[in-house]
Amino acid sequence: MSAQPKDEAGTVSWEEGGQERTAVWRSESGARPPRRIAVADDRMAADIAYKLVCEGTALLWRGDYHGARQLLAALGRRVDRKPPKQGATPRESFHLYRQARTRRARVLGMLLIPLETAPGGSYAVPLRRAPEVGPACVAAYGPAEGAVGELALVSLRELQGVLGAYEWQRKGVAVDALGGERIHPYHGVFSPVRGEYVDLVARAPLPRQEAGGIVAFDIGTGTGVLAAVLARRGVGRVLATDVGERALACARENVTRLGVAGTVEVIRSDLFPPEAAGQADLAVCNPPWLPAKPTSALEQAVYDPDSRMLCGFLAGLAGRLAPGGEGWLILSDLAEHLGLRPREQLLEWIEGAGLRVAGHLDASPRHGRASDPEVPLHAARAAETTRLWRLRRAEDAAG
């Protein structure tokens, strides 16, 4: 799964030292530029800061960088004093939870950090004890194009996400299905930290015994992890698609690192490869599993309004499968436990697309939220199952 980044362009202005100042506004999450900005430093009390950000005034930090981190943590504690309300149904509880998370992100996103263009197209934070941010920011935003010293503003929360993502990209994520070798996710591309869906692809029976002759599509490849797993299983050719340029670059780098670039071709396409690519013996898709609106670029790998990618995959699958071929739909049933999409609807979509279910494999989630009764929506998370649906064309003989 991939996430296509968004960058809300614009400028912001504020008064500082008796002068009008302006800067570029940077937000990968698509957050709008704040209308009001006040200058803050280590002398500002957390309660005053919280009151200001709740009222819609962003705070431009001019003090010590570690002081900004401490203030962000203090704001987070104040936001969390009011946990999400419980609804009368799981569906209502989910929407209340999403509203609370959106408010939390908005409030915490109001603490801003200056980001300067540095020599060589890099970036720097002009604050005391600020970390080196250049490589991480270049990886997330691309080279800085402005003149040296040109100022941009970014939320501290986003900058922390950029720094954390760069560590994931630099160190990689070990994948059991690849023998412990690592996938290196880019910022904004969904990381395979939830390995159960990868394990399902590693152990599902291939539609043909002669793996070397199989042509496979990996729809929405993201980091390229599923394409790499298929290649390691001996699949002869894999066409991996995505629409995000960052995901495409990430997948290409990963399949090259893993030595399967000769088998996996990464191409830009929405859902299926172009018609000229022909039919596939196997088409694999792990779409976003919750039909809801994403609030950031990374959330697009989890939330998909009206299940667009799921419905698009099912609708186009029968026409792109070779006789006897299979489509592997890897999907969590969390939406069913939350009352967002009933199982009957999914089965109707499968039948309506001219498909039938040839079998399935299940896996239980291994992440901490599934076993921690204190996390929101615990009952639904504890009941969650990730299923690989083996789908075939309805006219193909059972087997």
Side-chain angles (χ1 to χ4, degrees):
M1 295 183 290
S2 72
Q4 177 72 356
K6 298 187 295 182
D7 195 347
E8 184 75 18
T11 60
V12 289
S13 61
W14 70 99
E15 185 176 317
E16 185 175 4
Q19 294 182 339
E20 185 80 6
R21 301 285 304 275
T22 62
V24 174
W25 171 247
R26 184 175 289 281
S27 173
E28 283 265 315
S29 67
R32 295 180 179 179
R35 295 182 178 180
R36 299 189 302 275
I37 298 177
V39 177
D41 58 26
D42 303 273
R43 295 169 294 180
M44 179 172 284
D47 286 337
I48 294 176
Y50 184 61
K51 181 176 185 296
L52 287 170
V53 297
C54 288
E55 292 173 348
T57 298
L59 302 177
L60 171 56
W61 191 258
R62 291 298 199 183
D64 181 87
Y65 180 84
H66 292 281
R69 293 178 56 194
Q70 292 172 351
L71 178 58
L72 185 64
L75 295 176
R77 290 191 295 271
R78 283 159 175 77
V79 174
D80 294 339
R81 287 173 181 170
K82 291 184 178 181
K85 297 179 181 179
Q86 292 296 311
T89 64
R91 182 187 182 95
E92 185 179 352
S93 293
F94 169 75
H95 287 300
L96 290 171
Y97 168 73
R98 290 283 291 156
Q99 290 173 9
R101 297 297 295 178
T102 299
R103 177 181 180 273
R104 188 179 196 275
R106 176 176 54 80
V107 169
L108 298 187
M110 299 291 272
L111 181 56
L112 311 181
I113 294 291
L115 190 64
E116 284 185 348
T117 299
S122 189
Y123 301 83
V125 173
L127 299 176
R128 296 189 306 274
R129 295 201 295 169
E132 169 61 49
V133 302
C137 287
V138 169
Y141 303 137
E145 298 178 351
V148 173
E150 183 173 304
L151 191 66
L153 300 188
V154 62
S155 82
L156 174 59
R157 191 166 184 262
E158 174 169 314
L159 183 60
Q160 288 181 330
V162 166
L163 296 175
Y166 185 66
E167 287 303 300
W168 282 111
Q169 179 178 340
R170 191 173 62 85
K171 296 179 180 178
V173 178
V175 177
D176 290 343
L178 294 172
E181 292 190 68
R182 293 180 176 271
I183 288 288
H184 295 259
Y186 283 17
H187 180 264
V189 182
F190 193 78
S191 172
V193 290
R194 285 188 56 167
E196 59 265 20
Y197 76 97
V198 183
D199 293 341
L200 287 171
V201 171
R203 64 186 178 91
L206 294 171
R208 288 169 45 188
Q209 290 185 350
E210 305 84 8
I214 291 177
V215 174
F217 297 159
D218 176 21
I219 310 299
T221 191
T223 62
V225 61
L226 297 185
V229 168
L230 293 174
R232 285 289 178 86
R233 293 191 64 182
V235 169
R237 185 184 182 211
V238 183
L239 296 179
T241 70
D242 213 296
V243 293
E245 292 300 329
R246 186 172 295 169
L248 294 169
C250 179
R252 291 184 181 116
E253 179 179 316
N254 280 313
V255 299
T256 299
R257 282 177 182 266
L258 294 168
V260 295
T263 300
V264 179
E265 181 182 359
V266 181
I267 57 176
R268 189 182 192 281
S269 184
D270 188 6
L271 295 177
F272 293 91
E275 291 288 341
Q279 295 180 313
D281 304 292
L282 176 63
V284 179
C285 184
N286 177 33
W289 53 87
L290 293 177
K293 182 180 179 180
T295 60
S296 69
L298 192 58
E299 281 193 351
Q300 293 178 35
V302 180
Y303 300 101
D304 185 17
D306 301 318
S307 303
R308 187 199 74 86
M309 185 174 181
L310 168 60
C311 292
F313 174 70
L314 293 175
L317 181 58
R320 300 306 302 271
L321 283 180
E326 286 190 1
W328 290 356
L329 171 65
I330 306 104
L331 192 66
S332 159
D333 66 357
L334 183 60
E336 299 173 19
H337 298 295
L338 292 172
L340 301 176
R341 182 178 58 231
R343 173 67 60 88
E344 293 74 21
Q345 184 177 50
L346 175 61
L347 295 175
E348 288 174 4
W349 288 344
I350 291 172
E351 182 179 359
L355 303 165
R356 64 179 180 83
V357 179
H360 63 81
L361 285 80
D362 293 346
S364 298
R366 300 191 294 266
H367 58 85
R369 292 185 176 184
S371 56
D372 185 355
E374 300 300 321
V375 301
L377 310 174
H378 169 70
R381 296 184 190 278
E384 179 186 7
T385 296
T386 300
R387 172 165 290 185
L388 185 151
W389 297 84
R390 294 175 52 217
L391 306 176
R392 293 191 175 183
R393 302 186 308 177
E395 64 264 30
D396 286 350

